[in-house]
Amino acid sequence: MHLANRSLVTAVTAVCSAVALCAALTGCAPQAEKKEASGQAGATKAACAPGGLATEVEGKLTVGTDKPAYAPWFFDDEPSNGKGFESAVAYAVAKELGYERDAVVWQHVPFNSAFAPGAKKFDFDINQVSISESRKKAVAFSSGYYDVRQAVVALKSSKAAGATSVADLKKVKLGAQVGTTSLDFINDLVKPDQKPAVYQRNDFAKSALKTGQVDAIVVDLPTAFYITGAEAPEAKVVGQFPNSPDKPERFGLVLDKESTIVSCVSGAVDALRKDGTLAALEQEWLSDAVDAPVLK
């Protein structure tokens, strides 16, 4: 070893010893950790600066949903018009995050693709996606923006129309959209004797109901009331499934698993719930979804 290198090692060793002694005597290291934690808190606050999120497109907020976009969540199959509960919620969240209406860009995202594994091209997706532990393995969720119940819709002439309990549904032919909690309720709660019919879209499920291919379909409660009130007056809401009191089903905004804005979006949803905005929007757009009998 050259003399110069040996001298350098000696000097470094001396400095390290001094630092160790400083930490032991004066608590230098803990003070440094506090400073770092403070900096992280400041960075988190800065990351949620109004209109300045790390979004897909700088200065814009990209929101995904399926097409067709069904009522009462959207109207006229046009998410950007602000009409319908989820369209209104999306714009309310955007405003809370500092993005005005003209800074919101809508993107077509098929229902199953929203929570499938893989990178996303949206900042958040809003499409009646229920928060679940299995889906959290592939994507991130915001706080829940709507507490939902699942319901059974049947033609008034169907043998399913008189059902008053979950057991009454075991012997009828049921249908639901693929990948939904509606289908989960059929498989996990009803456990019907016949394998349920599975459809790519709710439109197909409704057509199957009208033509008698199934005795009843399962959808969320607001959709059930819209179907029977506006699309199929010959059908009725048979009843709704009970929700677990300790684990209610909630819709959440879907984000990329690696998204850096999850806490910001959740904060916006929480603020809208706290100030009454979500309740007001629910009353405005979903008020027709009145109570339905609970299936025992």
Side-chain angles (χ1 to χ4, degrees), residues 181-250:
T181 49
S182 302
L183 184 58
D184 291 340
F185 268 78
I186 294 174
N187 289 324
D188 301 337
L189 183 62
V190 179
K191 299 178 181 177
D193 296 339
Q194 302 179 63
K195 187 177 180 180
V198 181
Y199 303 96
Q200 285 297 319
R201 300 205 317 245
N202 264 337
D203 268 353
F204 301 152
K206 287 182 284 187
S207 294
L209 177 70
K210 292 178 180 180
T211 57
Q213 297 175 50
V214 292
D215 297 310
I217 60 174
V218 177
V219 293
D220 58 76
L221 189 58
T223 297
F225 276 101
Y226 185 81
I227 290 172
T228 56
E231 297 181 313
E234 68 274 26
K236 63 176 284 189
V237 179
V238 177
Q240 60 180 306
F241 291 108
N243 248 345
S244 172
D246 56 335
K247 292 183 68 176
E249 183 183 355
R250 291 193 173 102

Side-chain angles (χ1 to χ4, degrees), residues 65 68-79 81-90 126-128 145-146 148 202 206 219-231 251 281-290:
T65 198
Y70 302 108
W73 312 104
F74 303 92
F75 277 88
D76 302 322
D77 191 21
E78 185 49 72
N81 64 16
K83 297 178 181 179
F85 179 70
E86 289 192 328
S87 179
V89 167
I126 183 166
N127 191 23
Q128 306 115 66
Y145 61 88
Y146 179 68
V148 65
N202 264 337
K206 287 182 284 187
V219 293
D220 58 76
L221 189 58
T223 297
F225 276 101
Y226 185 81
I227 290 172
T228 56
E231 297 181 313
F251 290 159
L281 293 177
E282 184 177 333
Q283 178 63 31
E284 179 180 359
W285 296 107
L286 305 179
S287 59
D288 288 341
V290 294

Side-chain angles (χ1 to χ4, degrees), residues 16-244:
C16 290
S17 299
V19 170
L21 180 61
C22 172
L25 295 178
T26 67
C28 293
Q31 290 176 2
E33 288 173 0
K34 288 179 182 178
K35 183 177 181 180
E36 182 180 352
S38 175
Q40 289 173 345
T44 300
K45 187 175 182 180
C48 295
L53 303 187
T55 54
E56 284 290 319
V57 178
E58 186 177 356
K60 301 286 185 179
L61 194 66
T62 304
V63 181
T65 198
D66 204 352
K67 186 174 182 64
Y70 302 108
W73 312 104
F74 303 92
F75 277 88
D76 302 322
D77 191 21
E78 185 49 72
S80 64
N81 64 16
K83 297 178 181 179
F85 179 70
E86 289 192 328
S87 179
V89 167
Y91 282 117
V93 170
K95 187 173 183 179
E96 191 70 26
L97 292 171
Y99 294 87
E100 294 301 324
R101 186 161 172 162
D102 59 0
V104 177
V105 179
W106 288 89
Q107 182 183 83
H108 170 215
V109 180
F111 180 79
N112 282 343
S113 299
F115 49 86
K120 308 303 179 190
K121 293 299 184 182
F122 52 75
D123 295 307
F124 67 76
D125 181 273
I126 183 166
N127 191 23
Q128 306 115 66
V129 181
S130 297
I131 301 168
S132 71
E133 292 306 313
S134 61
R135 289 172 178 170
K136 284 182 179 179
K137 294 176 183 178
V139 295
F141 281 96
S142 71
S143 302
Y145 61 88
Y146 179 68
D147 292 5
V148 65
R149 292 281 190 101
Q150 296 298 318
V152 179
V153 176
L155 296 182
K156 295 172 184 176
S157 59
S158 166
K159 59 183 178 180
T164 59
S165 68
V166 174
D168 291 340
L169 298 171
K170 287 185 70 67
K171 296 185 181 301
V172 303
K173 181 69 173 180
L174 299 171
Q177 183 178 350
V178 65
T180 60
T181 49
S182 302
L183 184 58
D184 291 340
F185 268 78
I186 294 174
N187 289 324
D188 301 337
L189 183 62
V190 179
K191 299 178 181 177
D193 296 339
Q194 302 179 63
K195 187 177 180 180
V198 181
Y199 303 96
Q200 285 297 319
R201 300 205 317 245
N202 264 337
D203 268 353
F204 301 152
K206 287 182 284 187
S207 294
L209 177 70
K210 292 178 180 180
T211 57
Q213 297 175 50
V214 292
D215 297 310
I217 60 174
V218 177
V219 293
D220 58 76
L221 189 58
T223 297
F225 276 101
Y226 185 81
I227 290 172
T228 56
E231 297 181 313
E234 68 274 26
K236 63 176 284 189
V237 179
V238 177
Q240 60 180 306
F241 291 108
N243 248 345
S244 172

